[in-house]
Amino acid sequence: MAYKSAWFKSSYSNTANGANCISVAALTNNVAVRDSKQQNGPAFVTPSAAWSSFIREVKTGRWAG
């Protein structure tokens, strides 16, 4: 499914070689995430509240490798 929305690249994406890039788009009640290299490819769509919770946890270091 194609989403006509304003996509932006994550500020944490690896810009050196473009290998680890994601794009994010804010939809009405959801957030869509896709591989920046596959702009016409699939997107993962999740409720905005779930995305916000995930981002909060990433910022605390919970998902650090």
Side-chain angles (χ1 to χ4, degrees), residues 41-55:
F44 170 76
V45 179
T46 188
S48 298
W51 181 253
S52 295
S53 178
F54 171 71
I55 294 300

Side-chain angles (χ1 to χ4, degrees), residues 54 57-65:
F54 171 71
E57 290 194 15
V58 167
K59 288 181 177 180
T60 68
R62 179 175 179 178
W63 300 102

Side-chain angles (χ1 to χ4, degrees), residues 7-14 18-24 33-37 51 54-55:
W7 290 92
F8 64 93
K9 189 184 289 190
S10 168
S11 61
Y12 290 93
S13 291
N14 177 353
N20 299 314
C21 300
I22 63 167
S23 294
V24 179
V33 182
R34 70 180 181 194
D35 183 338
S36 294
K37 295 179 299 304
W51 181 253
F54 171 71
I55 294 300

